[in-house]
């Protein structure tokens, strides 16, 4: 069997596991075979999201922390729990410019769009076109159901590799610093801690910017290695924890694991020590 034949069989297998409908091995490869559509509901809010099987970094799943962050942005009481006392009355909702790192299914970005954020910048690493096709589909479907016209779409989808070309991020759609950044389950691999922090610190407003970091302990490394992220954030980037919460779920639904210990979500909100929250 040639390498090309083996590759074709691998692609057919992936399509059969993931496709919307039947897969014919004589069919030409269709983009939608690699993208699936799903519904997420919280209270009376319905979000349509899409997953790309070839998305980077487990972005072909919805992680608990993504859901948890999205849930806590949908009501004033949940936002009060998320933001805590230091941000109460100081952080303006909805944000002016919001930013999501490693978005994957991008539930938080879509909720921010629904909540009326002036501008949402949704990013992920550029590995293939399907990841970004899935994000564009999610924006299109939700704008249709929420009655947002094409002219009024306030979300941009931008490729970004953490730690690279950070200055370009501040120029997206007219430019400006970010008052809200989000990273959902992006810190499970300590290898990428510093580059993620480089990007976050590079875009956050030093006046009122906050960085919401959601995570679980997946035991690929000891928990203290994951928590090193926050020590590094403080010591090298001046980002301090201003609020934190813990939420339990029945296992890590995002990747099919039913271990309740892995299902626990921790969220910490960080802000630079020179922001208004420390005055």
């Amino acid at each position: 069997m040639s390498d090309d034949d083996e590759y074709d069989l691998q692609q057919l297998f992936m399509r059969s596991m993931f496709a919307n409908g039947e897969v014919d091995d004589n069919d030409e490869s269709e983009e939608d075979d690699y993208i699936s559509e799903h519904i997420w509901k919280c209270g009376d809010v319905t979000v349509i999201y899409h997953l790309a099987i070839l998305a980077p970094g487990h972005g072909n799943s919805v992680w608990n922390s993504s859901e948890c962050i999205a849930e806590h942005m949908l009501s004033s009481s949940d936002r009060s729990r998320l933001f805590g006392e230091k941000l109460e009355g100081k952080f303006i909702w909805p944000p002016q410019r919001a930013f999501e790192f490693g978005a994957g299914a991008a539930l938080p970005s879509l909720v921010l769009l629904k909540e009326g954020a002036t501008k949402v910048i949704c990013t992920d690493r550029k590995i293939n076109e399907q990841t970004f096709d899935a994000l564009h589909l999610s924006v299109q479907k939700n704008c249709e159901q929420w009655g947002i016209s094409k002219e009024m779409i306030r979300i941009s989808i931008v490729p970004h590799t953490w730690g690279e070309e950070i200055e370009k991020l501040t120029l997206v759609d007219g430019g400006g610093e970010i008052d809200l950044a989000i990273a959902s389950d992006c810190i499970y691999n300590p290898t990428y801690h510093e580059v993620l922090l480089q990007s976050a610190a590079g875009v956050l407003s030093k006046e009122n910017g906050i960085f919401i970091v959601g995570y679980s302990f997946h035991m690929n490394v000891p928990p203290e290695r994951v928590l090193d992220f926050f020590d590094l954030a403080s010591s090298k980037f001046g980002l301090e924890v201003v609020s934190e919460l813990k939420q339990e779920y029945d296992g890590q639904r995002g990747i099919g694991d039913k271990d309740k210990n892995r299902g626990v979500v921790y969220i910490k909100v960080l802000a630079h020590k020179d922001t208004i929250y420390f005055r």
Side-chain angles (χ1 to χ4, degrees):
M1 179 184 294
S2 70
D3 290 343
D4 286 344
D5 289 339
E6 184 176 358
Y7 176 80
D8 289 341
L9 284 174
Q10 290 173 348
Q11 295 297 298
L12 180 62
F13 172 74
M14 287 192 296
R15 290 169 62 199
S16 69
M17 295 293 289
F18 205 71
N20 297 315
E22 298 295 325
V23 175
D24 185 342
D25 60 6
N26 291 318
D27 284 347
E28 293 184 5
S29 177
E30 292 292 338
E31 201 168 75
D32 286 349
D33 290 339
Y34 298 93
I35 297 173
S36 60
E37 182 173 294
H38 308 267
I39 299 292
W40 179 78
K41 292 187 176 183
C42 183
D44 59 356
V45 174
T46 297
V47 177
I48 303 168
Y49 68 93
H50 297 78
L51 296 175
I53 190 174
L54 301 177
H58 299 288
N60 60 337
S61 302
V62 174
W63 294 60
N64 287 357
S65 65
S66 178
E67 292 194 51
C68 188
I69 292 172
E71 289 166 0
H72 280 83
M73 294 193 298
L74 280 171
S75 73
S76 58
S77 59
D78 284 332
R79 285 194 296 273
S80 292
R81 181 176 177 232
L82 173 65
F83 293 148
E85 293 181 0
K86 280 195 174 182
L87 302 187
E88 192 75 33
K90 292 184 177 180
F91 185 77
I92 306 301
W93 190 265
Q96 291 294 304
R97 287 176 66 83
F99 196 105
E100 184 172 7
F101 294 102
L107 282 182
S109 289
L110 295 169
V111 165
L112 283 164
L113 178 64
K114 176 72 169 64
E115 282 290 296
T118 304
K119 190 66 190 180
V120 181
I121 302 166
C122 180
T123 73
D124 212 331
R125 189 157 53 108
K126 185 66 176 286
I127 296 296
N128 55 66
E129 294 298 332
Q130 286 83 9
T131 301
F132 291 85
D133 291 339
L135 288 169
H136 282 290
L137 276 172
S138 297
V139 171
Q140 175 190 331
K141 292 291 185 74
N142 286 293
C143 284
E144 289 173 356
Q145 72 159 336
W146 296 331
I148 302 174
S149 66
K150 290 183 179 179
E151 294 75 21
M152 296 300 293
I153 293 177
R154 306 177 311 279
I155 187 167
S156 294
I157 298 168
V158 180
H160 175 59
T161 299
W162 302 337
E164 297 181 9
E165 299 184 312
I166 300 168
E167 64 283 352
K168 287 186 177 181
L169 299 178
T170 61
L171 302 176
V172 175
D173 290 326
E177 293 182 315
I178 301 298
D179 47 350
L180 172 63
I182 295 172
S184 302
D185 252 314
C186 291
I187 66 171
Y188 61 90
N189 187 342
T191 302
Y192 300 106
H193 283 181
E194 185 161 358
V195 288
L196 174 57
L197 284 164
Q198 287 172 359
S199 289
V203 299
L204 275 177
S205 166
K206 297 295 192 299
E207 176 67 17
N208 66 338
I210 63 172
F211 184 21
I212 301 175
V213 181
Y215 62 98
S216 297
F217 296 122
H218 300 296
M219 304 314 296
N220 56 305
V221 295
E224 56 267 23
R225 293 286 311 284
V226 176
L227 295 175
D228 284 344
F229 177 86
F230 301 102
D231 292 334
L232 182 63
S234 174
S235 63
K236 190 167 184 176
F237 296 93
L239 296 172
E240 305 289 348
V241 175
V242 293
S243 176
E244 56 187 300
L245 64 83
K246 172 183 174 182
Q247 181 99 6
E248 295 185 3
Y249 293 86
D250 293 330
Q252 181 56 245
R253 293 168 293 166
I255 50 178
D257 194 296
K258 299 303 179 184
D259 183 346
K260 287 190 175 182
N261 292 322
R262 293 183 67 185
V264 179
V265 171
Y266 304 87
I267 297 177
K268 292 188 179 182
V269 181
L270 287 70
H272 194 273
K273 59 185 179 181
D274 292 335
T275 57
I276 59 175
Y277 315 116
F278 292 96
R279 295 172 192 168

